[in-house]
């Protein structure tokens, strides 16, 4: 399929992008809090459907997507936008437009629905090679907004009206917190074996159920790594520049540079830990 060449220039108003994401996040947080109140009162929380096996989509997925896409289109009418809920991800691999956006309007839908705070909005800007050249992650319930605007810039964390540089925290494997995939029924025995090995060798492990949450927690020094055995482009695209810009490392299971189309991905806080994780995955499987 021939794609239309994007007319967007490489100069993007990132301040406006932040405003759009914040607008969606504020609305999501309000709805999250109201949902939790209804949970406590024993009231049904409303519209939900299963778009695939054990994969929910809720009204808030669509609300967030509409706000972000509308905001981008108002600033860039010719913008090409890929989103989890647009069902257009199959076109991405062949898209050679110079600039395009990829959005996860509500990563951690299940957490949101069941009242847990590990959810947020992830947005990335891609170049013609499907490399993330900038990334934005907003986790409203955790009060974390983190961004990397590309061009070898530092990753920044919103602190009131200011942005401050943030860095990963280097730790040896034995003192590290490593996050992992959650839907084991999709992953097969190798992924389960890797997790079993890591669970014994790291200090502790977590399964948050939100890819962008894990990337943000690595970049802000809370945790040390995240392993994906079978991921999607929108899960990792925002986190790649954010983790790298905070001093972290991103690769496939063999240590190679990745694009957002890779399925097996490691993000970690530092080079030494990254090498250990690669060894753990490959020597023991």
């Amino acid at each position: 399929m021939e794609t239309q060449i994007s007319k967007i220039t490489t100069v993007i108003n990132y301040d406006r992008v932040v405003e759009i994401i914040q607008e969606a996040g504020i609305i999501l947080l309000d709805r999250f809090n109201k949902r939790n109140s209804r949970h406590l009162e024993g009231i049904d929380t409303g519209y939900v459907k299963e778009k695939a096996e054990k994969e929910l989509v809720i009204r808030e997925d669509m609300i967030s997507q509409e706000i972000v896409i509308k905001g981008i289109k108002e600033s860039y009418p010719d913008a090409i936008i890929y989103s989890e809920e647009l069902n257009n991800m199959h076109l991405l691999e062949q898209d050679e437009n110079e600039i395009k956006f990829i959005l996860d309007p509500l990563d951690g839908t299940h957490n949101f629905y069941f009242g847990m705070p590990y959810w947020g909005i992830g947005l990335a800007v891609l170049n013609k090679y499907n490399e993330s050249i900038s990334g934005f992650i907003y986790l409203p319930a955790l009060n974390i907004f983190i961004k990397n605007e590309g061009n070898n810039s530092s990753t920044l964390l919103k602190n009131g009206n200011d942005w401050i540089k943030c860095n990963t925290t280097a730790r040896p494997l034995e003192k590290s917190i490593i996050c992992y995939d959650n839907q084991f029924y999709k992953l097969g025995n190798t992924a389960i074996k890797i997790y079993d090995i890591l669970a014994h060798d790291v200090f502790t492990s977590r399964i948050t159920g939100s890819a962008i949450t894990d990337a943000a927690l690595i970049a802000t020094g809370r945790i040390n790594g995240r392993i994906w055995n079978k991921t999607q482009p929108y899960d990792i695209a925002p986190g790649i520049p954010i983790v790298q810009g905070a001093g972290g490392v991103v690769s496939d299971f063999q240590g190679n540079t990745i694009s957002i189309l890779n399925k097996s991905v490691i993000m970690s806080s530092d080079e030494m830990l990254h090498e250990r994780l690669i060894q753990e995955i490959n020597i023991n499987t």
Side-chain angles (χ1 to χ4, degrees):
M1 177 178 177
E2 185 176 348
T3 57
Q4 177 186 0
I5 299 300
S6 174
K7 298 177 183 178
I8 301 175
T9 67
T10 55
V11 178
I12 296 175
N13 183 348
Y14 286 127
D15 290 339
R16 178 58 187 143
V17 171
V18 168
E19 290 173 356
I20 294 166
I21 296 170
Q22 280 187 306
E23 178 186 349
I26 289 168
I27 290 172
L28 287 182
L29 183 59
D30 179 64
R31 295 183 69 91
F32 176 74
N33 290 332
K34 288 177 178 176
R35 274 181 174 272
N36 280 346
S37 295
R38 292 196 290 270
H39 274 305
L40 292 173
E41 295 167 8
I43 300 172
D44 182 25
T45 54
Y47 171 83
V48 60
K49 68 177 181 179
E50 196 167 355
K51 62 182 180 181
E53 183 186 6
K54 299 183 183 180
E55 288 284 354
L56 300 181
V57 60
I58 60 178
R59 183 176 286 114
E60 287 80 3
D61 285 285
M62 311 313 293
I63 290 171
S64 178
Q65 177 172 272
E66 182 179 352
I67 292 169
V68 176
I69 290 179
K70 180 182 178 182
I72 292 172
K73 287 287 190 178
E74 285 175 350
S75 298
Y76 308 103
D78 298 307
I80 296 168
I81 305 171
Y82 292 88
S83 176
E84 179 180 8
E85 307 307 336
L86 286 179
N87 297 317
N88 61 354
M89 212 59 60
H90 62 287
L91 302 174
L92 179 59
E93 186 171 2
Q94 304 303 320
D95 189 337
E96 296 184 353
N97 283 287
E98 296 290 340
I99 294 292
K100 54 237 179 190
F101 296 85
I102 185 167
L103 169 69
D104 193 336
L106 179 51
D107 181 56
T109 297
H110 298 173
N111 291 337
F112 188 102
Y113 179 72
F114 289 106
M116 292 177 284
Y118 303 112
W119 56 268
I121 302 167
L123 180 71
V125 180
L126 309 178
N127 64 16
K128 69 178 295 183
Y129 305 107
N130 289 322
E131 297 167 335
S132 292
I133 57 175
S134 61
F136 303 82
I137 293 175
Y138 186 25
L139 310 174
L142 298 179
N143 194 29
I144 294 174
F145 198 132
I146 190 168
K147 68 176 183 176
N148 185 287
E149 296 181 357
N151 296 320
N152 297 314
S153 62
S154 298
T155 294
L156 302 176
L157 175 70
K158 199 170 194 308
N159 182 28
N161 294 323
D162 299 320
W163 292 89
I164 60 174
K165 184 179 178 180
C166 61
N167 299 286
T168 63
T169 299
R171 295 189 183 99
L173 183 71
E174 296 77 14
K175 295 183 179 180
S176 293
I177 299 178
I178 304 297
C179 287
Y180 206 75
D181 294 308
N182 56 309
Q183 295 174 314
F184 283 98
Y185 70 96
K186 292 181 177 180
L187 302 178
N189 292 331
T190 299
I192 294 171
K193 184 177 180 182
I194 291 171
Y195 183 69
D196 182 58
I197 293 164
L198 285 170
H200 287 86
D201 292 349
V202 303
F203 179 74
T204 191
S205 61
R206 293 289 184 271
I207 298 176
T208 68
S210 169
I212 64 169
T213 295
D214 295 341
L217 294 179
I218 294 170
T220 54
R222 271 88 158 180
I223 68 172
N224 302 99
R226 168 62 142 99
I227 293 171
W228 288 268
N229 289 273
K230 189 177 180 181
T231 190
Q232 297 294 332
Y234 47 77
D235 284 330
I236 58 171
I240 292 172
I242 283 174
V243 168
Q244 291 175 331
V249 185
V250 182
S251 79
D252 66 11
F253 282 6
Q254 286 70 47
N256 302 311
T257 301
I258 65 166
S259 81
I260 65 166
L261 299 173
N262 281 77
K263 296 293 186 181
S264 301
V265 176
I266 307 170
M267 292 186 186
S268 65
S269 56
D270 61 277
E271 189 68 47
M272 185 174 295
L273 175 63
H274 204 81
E275 290 299 323
R276 284 294 308 277
L277 290 173
I278 291 171
Q279 291 171 11
E280 291 278 308
I281 290 170
N282 289 286
I283 293 175
N284 295 293
T285 57

